[in-house]
Amino acid sequence: MAETAHAIPLDPLEPRDLVAPHHDDKSLNETLLDHVWRKPGKGWFMMLGITSAALGLLVIGVTYTLARGIGVWGNNQPVGWAFDIVNFVWWVGIGHAGTLISAILLLFQQKWRTSINRFAEAMTLFAVMCAGLFPLLHTGRPWFAFWLFPYPSTLGAWPQFRSPLVWDVFAISTYLTVSALFWFVGLIPDLAALRDSSKTKLQRTIYGLFALGWRGSGRHWHNYKIAYLLLAGISTPLVVSVHTIVSFDFAVSQIPGWHATIFPPYFVAGAVFSGFAMVITLIVPARKYLGLRDVITDRHLENMNKVILATGLIVSYGYMMEHFIAWFSQNQYEIWTFYVNRATGPYAGVYWLMIACNVITPNIFWFKKCRTSIPIMWVASIAVNIGMWCERFIIIVTSLSQDFLPSSWDIYRPTWVDWSIYIGTLGLFGTLFLLFLKFVPAVAVSEVKELQLELKHAAHAANGHHGTDSAAVTHGAH
């Protein structure tokens, strides 16, 4: 009788799934550094012009606010938090995908993060920078922001360290610092590659300055790997803690619609949801115009769509639980907020747009055709970001505009200054991202080379085992 040979399972991760197999180190260098050295095209300058014009709106809006005070915003009583905090929470959420992709997926040794981590990390930095503008402007007189610091003064003022608003300052500043360090450390080998391939003295000097004397020695790589892993370990808790603390701004209050224990996980899932959607929004056009389809493959995009689907289901569950708890508690204020004010009140259109974008749209990713269709995923990612902005607006404005006393209710309407500052931060984000794409490798060259080598070795080993097992079966049969 023939002996049954137990086949060694093949690695399901084939090289062509994550990196085109025809590349070697030289071709990867040429492909991934080409967009840095070549002259920008008309499309890049056109986009830079659009984002710069939007950035001009930010300058106008901020200047007018500082000159006239925040009374030029639409904020009123009782809606003291409005566009500024809506946009703050939205931008902080967008920044979450970078840390998740870079840190958590690194610790879990997910190889598909390699080609997209630098996009996401850059997005994190720029989003947090945009978010930080809003609380600073909301203080009214940001040039006196040092009054908020704990130092002995004649004012006798001292920060309330039991307030989540103070925790926010520490959380966001820590997040920005660690994310910047993580991004920069990962850049060092690629900056050295740009230094070595520079054609002018100025380029060599600038890239050499930021490469910090990298020479690619064994000692350098050893220290680099340790530092990168340590920063990943430090960054991982920040994925959960930052948006948890942001959710405490609302959850610890008594306002109807805010006082909920589900807010921390609900906010974290929503942050990852919107963050991955923004990565899709940016990476789809970038991979086309930068010629990166060989390293940012359909496998990467499909995996990100799966994460959007999973986090979208968690967000949908959060919506259902909010409504269930309002009904189960039989609290008249909660019932009014969820079943009357939000669903049929003055902002009902925003509420139902949120439901369409955040609940219905992600479910198209149950179907592989939708997960792998570039136009469908790009439009869906934009819809998700619109939906998450609507969610922040609904949470903040509806609960404040109609709280406990009908006599104090009022409608919030954003002014042109509110819109100018919001659109301006989109311009700031877009301008920084375009400059990043021009002057820095958009994909981690050293990590892609390492991944290519690992996948080729794994493929050869799998083919070798497969050949050995086939020979064993044939020998046993004879």
Side-chain angles (χ1 to χ4, degrees), residues 1 23 51 59 63 85 96 119 134 136 146 151 159 179 193 249 261 270 295 314 316 330 332-333 391 428 460:
M1 293 181 61
H23 279 295
T51 57
V59 174
T63 303
I85 305 302
H96 263 57
F119 275 98
F134 291 99
L136 191 62
F146 65 91
Y151 74 100
S179 298
D249 294 346
T261 54
V295 293
I314 297 173
S316 301
Q330 287 299 296
Q332 59 179 330
Y333 304 108
E391 179 199 288
L428 173 61
H460 289 321

PDB file of all heavy atoms in Angstrom, residues 1 23 51 59 63 85 96 119 134 136 146 151 159 179 193 249 261 270 295 314 316 330 332-333 391 428 460:
ATOM      1  N   MET A   1       0.843  -1.205   0.000  1.00  0.00           N
ATOM      2  CA  MET A   1       0.000   0.000   0.000  1.00  0.00           C
ATOM      3  C   MET A   1       0.879   1.256   0.000  1.00  0.00           C
ATOM      4  O   MET A   1       1.977   1.267   0.542  1.00  0.00           O
ATOM      5  CB  MET A   1      -0.910   0.041   1.239  1.00  0.00           C
ATOM      6  CG  MET A   1      -1.975  -1.062   1.247  1.00  0.00           C
ATOM      7  SD  MET A   1      -3.014  -0.939   2.702  1.00  0.00           S
ATOM      8  CE  MET A   1      -3.728   0.655   2.473  1.00  0.00           C
ATOM      9  N   HIS A  23      10.626  42.421  -8.944  1.00  0.00           N
ATOM     10  CA  HIS A  23      11.507  43.478  -8.444  1.00  0.00           C
ATOM     11  C   HIS A  23      12.723  42.906  -7.727  1.00  0.00           C
ATOM     12  O   HIS A  23      12.645  41.886  -7.035  1.00  0.00           O
ATOM     13  CB  HIS A  23      10.752  44.391  -7.475  1.00  0.00           C
ATOM     14  CG  HIS A  23       9.913  45.434  -8.151  1.00  0.00           C
ATOM     15  ND1 HIS A  23      10.448  46.448  -8.910  1.00  0.00           N
ATOM     16  CD2 HIS A  23       8.569  45.616  -8.196  1.00  0.00           C
ATOM     17  CE1 HIS A  23       9.482  47.212  -9.380  1.00  0.00           C
ATOM     18  NE2 HIS A  23       8.325  46.716  -8.959  1.00  0.00           N
ATOM     19  N   THR A  51      -5.152  73.219  -2.422  1.00  0.00           N
ATOM     20  CA  THR A  51      -4.968  73.124  -0.969  1.00  0.00           C
ATOM     21  C   THR A  51      -4.398  74.418  -0.391  1.00  0.00           C
ATOM     22  O   THR A  51      -4.734  74.805   0.732  1.00  0.00           O
ATOM     23  CB  THR A  51      -4.040  71.945  -0.621  1.00  0.00           C
ATOM     24  OG1 THR A  51      -2.783  72.100  -1.296  1.00  0.00           O
ATOM     25  CG2 THR A  51      -4.669  70.625  -1.034  1.00  0.00           C
ATOM     26  N   VAL A  59      -6.037  80.989   7.233  1.00  0.00           N
ATOM     27  CA  VAL A  59      -5.361  82.207   7.689  1.00  0.00           C
ATOM     28  C   VAL A  59      -6.376  83.325   7.900  1.00  0.00           C
ATOM     29  O   VAL A  59      -6.349  84.035   8.922  1.00  0.00           O
ATOM     30  CB  VAL A  59      -4.279  82.630   6.673  1.00  0.00           C
ATOM     31  CG1 VAL A  59      -3.664  83.969   7.069  1.00  0.00           C
ATOM     32  CG2 VAL A  59      -3.192  81.559   6.567  1.00  0.00           C
ATOM     33  N   THR A  63      -7.219  84.717  11.623  1.00  0.00           N
ATOM     34  CA  THR A  63      -6.908  86.138  11.842  1.00  0.00           C
ATOM     35  C   THR A  63      -8.147  86.903  12.285  1.00  0.00           C
ATOM     36  O   THR A  63      -8.104  87.699  13.240  1.00  0.00           O
ATOM     37  CB  THR A  63      -6.347  86.758  10.545  1.00  0.00           C
ATOM     38  OG1 THR A  63      -5.193  86.021  10.133  1.00  0.00           O
ATOM     39  CG2 THR A  63      -5.959  88.208  10.769  1.00  0.00           C
ATOM     40  N   ILE A  85     -15.050  71.886  18.443  1.00  0.00           N
ATOM     41  CA  ILE A  85     -14.847  70.587  19.087  1.00  0.00           C
ATOM     42  C   ILE A  85     -15.263  69.450  18.157  1.00  0.00           C
ATOM     43  O   ILE A  85     -14.674  68.363  18.190  1.00  0.00           O
ATOM     44  CB  ILE A  85     -15.622  70.515  20.425  1.00  0.00           C
ATOM     45  CG1 ILE A  85     -15.217  71.700  21.313  1.00  0.00           C
ATOM     46  CG2 ILE A  85     -15.320  69.212  21.147  1.00  0.00           C
ATOM     47  CD1 ILE A  85     -13.724  71.785  21.615  1.00  0.00           C
ATOM     48  N   HIS A  96      -5.858  58.051  13.940  1.00  0.00           N
ATOM     49  CA  HIS A  96      -5.674  56.780  14.641  1.00  0.00           C
ATOM     50  C   HIS A  96      -5.178  55.649  13.751  1.00  0.00           C
ATOM     51  O   HIS A  96      -4.529  54.730  14.236  1.00  0.00           O
ATOM     52  CB  HIS A  96      -6.982  56.352  15.321  1.00  0.00           C
ATOM     53  CG  HIS A  96      -7.028  56.728  16.763  1.00  0.00           C
ATOM     54  ND1 HIS A  96      -6.870  58.029  17.171  1.00  0.00           N
ATOM     55  CD2 HIS A  96      -7.182  56.008  17.893  1.00  0.00           C
ATOM     56  CE1 HIS A  96      -6.943  58.076  18.490  1.00  0.00           C
ATOM     57  NE2 HIS A  96      -7.130  56.860  18.950  1.00  0.00           N
ATOM     58  N   PHE A 119       2.477  56.192   4.727  1.00  0.00           N
ATOM     59  CA  PHE A 119       1.318  57.025   4.391  1.00  0.00           C
ATOM     60  C   PHE A 119       0.504  57.311   5.646  1.00  0.00           C
ATOM     61  O   PHE A 119       0.137  58.452   5.935  1.00  0.00           O
ATOM     62  CB  PHE A 119       0.416  56.282   3.394  1.00  0.00           C
ATOM     63  CG  PHE A 119       0.798  56.435   1.954  1.00  0.00           C
ATOM     64  CD1 PHE A 119       1.541  55.460   1.323  1.00  0.00           C
ATOM     65  CD2 PHE A 119       0.410  57.540   1.233  1.00  0.00           C
ATOM     66  CE1 PHE A 119       1.880  55.580  -0.010  1.00  0.00           C
ATOM     67  CE2 PHE A 119       0.738  57.678  -0.104  1.00  0.00           C
ATOM     68  CZ  PHE A 119       1.483  56.691  -0.728  1.00  0.00           C
ATOM     69  N   PHE A 134      -7.879  73.677  17.112  1.00  0.00           N
ATOM     70  CA  PHE A 134      -9.234  74.032  17.547  1.00  0.00           C
ATOM     71  C   PHE A 134      -9.347  74.312  19.052  1.00  0.00           C
ATOM     72  O   PHE A 134      -9.924  75.336  19.430  1.00  0.00           O
ATOM     73  CB  PHE A 134     -10.219  72.956  17.093  1.00  0.00           C
ATOM     74  CG  PHE A 134     -10.418  72.938  15.611  1.00  0.00           C
ATOM     75  CD1 PHE A 134      -9.748  72.031  14.817  1.00  0.00           C
ATOM     76  CD2 PHE A 134     -11.252  73.853  15.005  1.00  0.00           C
ATOM     77  CE1 PHE A 134      -9.917  72.023  13.442  1.00  0.00           C
ATOM     78  CE2 PHE A 134     -11.436  73.867  13.622  1.00  0.00           C
ATOM     79  CZ  PHE A 134     -10.761  72.949  12.838  1.00  0.00           C
ATOM     80  N   LEU A 136      -7.005  75.282  20.975  1.00  0.00           N
ATOM     81  CA  LEU A 136      -6.211  76.493  21.220  1.00  0.00           C
ATOM     82  C   LEU A 136      -7.010  77.735  20.857  1.00  0.00           C
ATOM     83  O   LEU A 136      -7.059  78.712  21.632  1.00  0.00           O
ATOM     84  CB  LEU A 136      -4.918  76.427  20.409  1.00  0.00           C
ATOM     85  CG  LEU A 136      -3.853  77.477  20.741  1.00  0.00           C
ATOM     86  CD1 LEU A 136      -3.377  77.322  22.180  1.00  0.00           C
ATOM     87  CD2 LEU A 136      -2.676  77.360  19.776  1.00  0.00           C
ATOM     88  N   PHE A 146      -0.526  80.107  28.376  1.00  0.00           N
ATOM     89  CA  PHE A 146       0.352  79.691  29.470  1.00  0.00           C
ATOM     90  C   PHE A 146      -0.325  79.812  30.824  1.00  0.00           C
ATOM     91  O   PHE A 146       0.139  79.231  31.813  1.00  0.00           O
ATOM     92  CB  PHE A 146       1.654  80.510  29.445  1.00  0.00           C
ATOM     93  CG  PHE A 146       1.474  81.988  29.712  1.00  0.00           C
ATOM     94  CD1 PHE A 146       1.564  82.477  31.005  1.00  0.00           C
ATOM     95  CD2 PHE A 146       1.230  82.875  28.676  1.00  0.00           C
ATOM     96  CE1 PHE A 146       1.410  83.829  31.273  1.00  0.00           C
ATOM     97  CE2 PHE A 146       1.067  84.225  28.924  1.00  0.00           C
ATOM     98  CZ  PHE A 146       1.153  84.717  30.229  1.00  0.00           C
ATOM     99  N   TYR A 151       1.706  76.556  37.242  1.00  0.00           N
ATOM    100  CA  TYR A 151       2.859  77.272  37.792  1.00  0.00           C
ATOM    101  C   TYR A 151       2.345  78.304  38.802  1.00  0.00           C
ATOM    102  O   TYR A 151       1.238  78.834  38.662  1.00  0.00           O
ATOM    103  CB  TYR A 151       3.671  77.941  36.671  1.00  0.00           C
ATOM    104  CG  TYR A 151       3.018  79.168  36.066  1.00  0.00           C
ATOM    105  CD1 TYR A 151       3.412  80.449  36.452  1.00  0.00           C
ATOM    106  CD2 TYR A 151       2.001  79.051  35.116  1.00  0.00           C
ATOM    107  CE1 TYR A 151       2.820  81.568  35.910  1.00  0.00           C
ATOM    108  CE2 TYR A 151       1.399  80.157  34.566  1.00  0.00           C
ATOM    109  CZ  TYR A 151       1.814  81.426  34.964  1.00  0.00           C
ATOM    110  OH  TYR A 151       1.224  82.538  34.432  1.00  0.00           O
ATOM    111  N   PRO A 159      -4.772  74.344  37.239  1.00  0.00           N
ATOM    112  CA  PRO A 159      -5.587  73.448  36.408  1.00  0.00           C
ATOM    113  C   PRO A 159      -6.319  72.408  37.253  1.00  0.00           C
ATOM    114  O   PRO A 159      -5.804  71.951  38.271  1.00  0.00           O
ATOM    115  CB  PRO A 159      -4.549  72.764  35.500  1.00  0.00           C
ATOM    116  CG  PRO A 159      -3.344  73.628  35.551  1.00  0.00           C
ATOM    117  CD  PRO A 159      -3.347  74.280  36.896  1.00  0.00           C
ATOM    118  N   SER A 179       4.221  59.733  17.906  1.00  0.00           N
ATOM    119  CA  SER A 179       3.985  59.487  16.486  1.00  0.00           C
ATOM    120  C   SER A 179       5.069  60.119  15.626  1.00  0.00           C
ATOM    121  O   SER A 179       5.526  59.526  14.640  1.00  0.00           O
ATOM    122  CB  SER A 179       2.613  60.040  16.072  1.00  0.00           C
ATOM    123  OG  SER A 179       1.576  59.392  16.764  1.00  0.00           O
ATOM    124  N   ALA A 193      19.418  56.785   2.080  1.00  0.00           N
ATOM    125  CA  ALA A 193      19.405  56.380   0.669  1.00  0.00           C
ATOM    126  C   ALA A 193      19.240  57.596  -0.239  1.00  0.00           C
ATOM    127  O   ALA A 193      19.890  57.684  -1.295  1.00  0.00           O
ATOM    128  CB  ALA A 193      18.277  55.380   0.424  1.00  0.00           C
ATOM    129  N   ASP A 249     -14.419  63.480  27.631  1.00  0.00           N
ATOM    130  CA  ASP A 249     -14.900  64.867  27.600  1.00  0.00           C
ATOM    131  C   ASP A 249     -16.423  64.911  27.622  1.00  0.00           C
ATOM    132  O   ASP A 249     -17.023  65.864  28.128  1.00  0.00           O
ATOM    133  CB  ASP A 249     -14.413  65.575  26.325  1.00  0.00           C
ATOM    134  CG  ASP A 249     -12.910  65.743  26.282  1.00  0.00           C
ATOM    135  OD1 ASP A 249     -12.270  65.569  27.326  1.00  0.00           O
ATOM    136  OD2 ASP A 249     -12.373  66.045  25.199  1.00  0.00           O
ATOM    137  N   THR A 261     -21.511  54.854  29.293  1.00  0.00           N
ATOM    138  CA  THR A 261     -20.272  54.099  29.512  1.00  0.00           C
ATOM    139  C   THR A 261     -19.757  53.446  28.238  1.00  0.00           C
ATOM    140  O   THR A 261     -18.612  52.991  28.202  1.00  0.00           O
ATOM    141  CB  THR A 261     -20.488  53.006  30.569  1.00  0.00           C
ATOM    142  OG1 THR A 261     -21.605  52.196  30.169  1.00  0.00           O
ATOM    143  CG2 THR A 261     -20.767  53.609  31.923  1.00  0.00           C
ATOM    144  N   GLY A 270     -14.690  54.051  16.260  1.00  0.00           N
ATOM    145  CA  GLY A 270     -14.999  55.085  15.268  1.00  0.00           C
ATOM    146  C   GLY A 270     -13.761  55.778  14.743  1.00  0.00           C
ATOM    147  O   GLY A 270     -13.689  56.140  13.565  1.00  0.00           O
ATOM    148  N   VAL A 295       3.887  47.823  -5.271  1.00  0.00           N
ATOM    149  CA  VAL A 295       4.142  47.632  -3.838  1.00  0.00           C
ATOM    150  C   VAL A 295       2.910  47.914  -2.981  1.00  0.00           C
ATOM    151  O   VAL A 295       2.830  47.462  -1.842  1.00  0.00           O
ATOM    152  CB  VAL A 295       5.334  48.507  -3.351  1.00  0.00           C
ATOM    153  CG1 VAL A 295       6.630  48.031  -3.963  1.00  0.00           C
ATOM    154  CG2 VAL A 295       5.106  49.973  -3.677  1.00  0.00           C
ATOM    155  N   ILE A 314     -18.782  47.582  14.567  1.00  0.00           N
ATOM    156  CA  ILE A 314     -18.698  47.978  15.987  1.00  0.00           C
ATOM    157  C   ILE A 314     -19.388  49.324  16.191  1.00  0.00           C
ATOM    158  O   ILE A 314     -20.126  49.527  17.178  1.00  0.00           O
ATOM    159  CB  ILE A 314     -17.229  48.042  16.434  1.00  0.00           C
ATOM    160  CG1 ILE A 314     -16.578  46.663  16.332  1.00  0.00           C
ATOM    161  CG2 ILE A 314     -17.122  48.559  17.867  1.00  0.00           C
ATOM    162  CD1 ILE A 314     -15.077  46.660  16.601  1.00  0.00           C
ATOM    163  N   SER A 316     -21.805  50.561  14.383  1.00  0.00           N
ATOM    164  CA  SER A 316     -23.250  50.318  14.252  1.00  0.00           C
ATOM    165  C   SER A 316     -23.819  49.726  15.540  1.00  0.00           C
ATOM    166  O   SER A 316     -24.923  50.097  15.979  1.00  0.00           O
ATOM    167  CB  SER A 316     -23.522  49.372  13.078  1.00  0.00           C
ATOM    168  OG  SER A 316     -23.027  49.909  11.874  1.00  0.00           O
ATOM    169  N   GLN A 330     -35.746  54.097  30.352  1.00  0.00           N
ATOM    170  CA  GLN A 330     -36.974  54.892  30.447  1.00  0.00           C
ATOM    171  C   GLN A 330     -36.711  56.293  31.005  1.00  0.00           C
ATOM    172  O   GLN A 330     -37.571  56.898  31.653  1.00  0.00           O
ATOM    173  CB  GLN A 330     -38.035  54.172  31.278  1.00  0.00           C
ATOM    174  CG  GLN A 330     -38.667  52.978  30.575  1.00  0.00           C
ATOM    175  CD  GLN A 330     -39.386  53.355  29.287  1.00  0.00           C
ATOM    176  OE1 GLN A 330     -40.375  54.088  29.316  1.00  0.00           O
ATOM    177  NE2 GLN A 330     -38.866  52.889  28.155  1.00  0.00           N
ATOM    178  N   GLN A 332     -36.618  60.007  30.402  1.00  0.00           N
ATOM    179  CA  GLN A 332     -37.331  60.815  29.422  1.00  0.00           C
ATOM    180  C   GLN A 332     -36.391  61.718  28.622  1.00  0.00           C
ATOM    181  O   GLN A 332     -36.628  61.985  27.427  1.00  0.00           O
ATOM    182  CB  GLN A 332     -38.401  61.666  30.108  1.00  0.00           C
ATOM    183  CG  GLN A 332     -37.857  62.611  31.167  1.00  0.00           C
ATOM    184  CD  GLN A 332     -38.947  63.460  31.797  1.00  0.00           C
ATOM    185  OE1 GLN A 332     -39.942  63.776  31.139  1.00  0.00           O
ATOM    186  NE2 GLN A 332     -38.770  63.823  33.062  1.00  0.00           N
ATOM    187  N   TYR A 333     -35.316  62.175  29.259  1.00  0.00           N
ATOM    188  CA  TYR A 333     -34.374  63.050  28.547  1.00  0.00           C
ATOM    189  C   TYR A 333     -33.584  62.272  27.499  1.00  0.00           C
ATOM    190  O   TYR A 333     -33.340  62.761  26.392  1.00  0.00           O
ATOM    191  CB  TYR A 333     -33.414  63.721  29.536  1.00  0.00           C
ATOM    192  CG  TYR A 333     -34.121  64.493  30.623  1.00  0.00           C
ATOM    193  CD1 TYR A 333     -34.156  64.040  31.938  1.00  0.00           C
ATOM    194  CD2 TYR A 333     -34.778  65.683  30.322  1.00  0.00           C
ATOM    195  CE1 TYR A 333     -34.809  64.736  32.927  1.00  0.00           C
ATOM    196  CE2 TYR A 333     -35.436  66.407  31.301  1.00  0.00           C
ATOM    197  CZ  TYR A 333     -35.451  65.923  32.608  1.00  0.00           C
ATOM    198  OH  TYR A 333     -36.107  66.631  33.579  1.00  0.00           O
ATOM    199  N   GLU A 391     -21.383  62.270  12.576  1.00  0.00           N
ATOM    200  CA  GLU A 391     -21.558  61.669  13.905  1.00  0.00           C
ATOM    201  C   GLU A 391     -21.082  62.613  14.995  1.00  0.00           C
ATOM    202  O   GLU A 391     -21.750  62.818  16.014  1.00  0.00           O
ATOM    203  CB  GLU A 391     -20.792  60.358  13.989  1.00  0.00           C
ATOM    204  CG  GLU A 391     -20.913  59.682  15.349  1.00  0.00           C
ATOM    205  CD  GLU A 391     -19.812  58.660  15.600  1.00  0.00           C
ATOM    206  OE1 GLU A 391     -19.856  57.600  14.966  1.00  0.00           O
ATOM    207  OE2 GLU A 391     -18.913  58.943  16.429  1.00  0.00           O
ATOM    208  N   LEU A 428      -4.703  72.786   5.026  1.00  0.00           N
ATOM    209  CA  LEU A 428      -3.428  72.575   5.721  1.00  0.00           C
ATOM    210  C   LEU A 428      -3.018  71.111   5.639  1.00  0.00           C
ATOM    211  O   LEU A 428      -1.851  70.789   5.326  1.00  0.00           O
ATOM    212  CB  LEU A 428      -3.565  73.006   7.186  1.00  0.00           C
ATOM    213  CG  LEU A 428      -2.369  72.701   8.111  1.00  0.00           C
ATOM    214  CD1 LEU A 428      -1.117  73.422   7.633  1.00  0.00           C
ATOM    215  CD2 LEU A 428      -2.698  73.084   9.560  1.00  0.00           C
ATOM    216  N   HIS A 460      10.452  29.988  -1.897  1.00  0.00           N
ATOM    217  CA  HIS A 460      11.404  28.948  -2.288  1.00  0.00           C
ATOM    218  C   HIS A 460      11.341  27.769  -1.322  1.00  0.00           C
ATOM    219  O   HIS A 460      11.382  26.601  -1.729  1.00  0.00           O
ATOM    220  CB  HIS A 460      12.826  29.515  -2.334  1.00  0.00           C
ATOM    221  CG  HIS A 460      13.050  30.463  -3.476  1.00  0.00           C
ATOM    222  ND1 HIS A 460      12.519  30.263  -4.721  1.00  0.00           N
ATOM    223  CD2 HIS A 460      13.751  31.627  -3.539  1.00  0.00           C
ATOM    224  CE1 HIS A 460      12.879  31.264  -5.522  1.00  0.00           C
ATOM    225  NE2 HIS A 460      13.633  32.105  -4.823  1.00  0.00           N
TER     226      HIS A 460
END
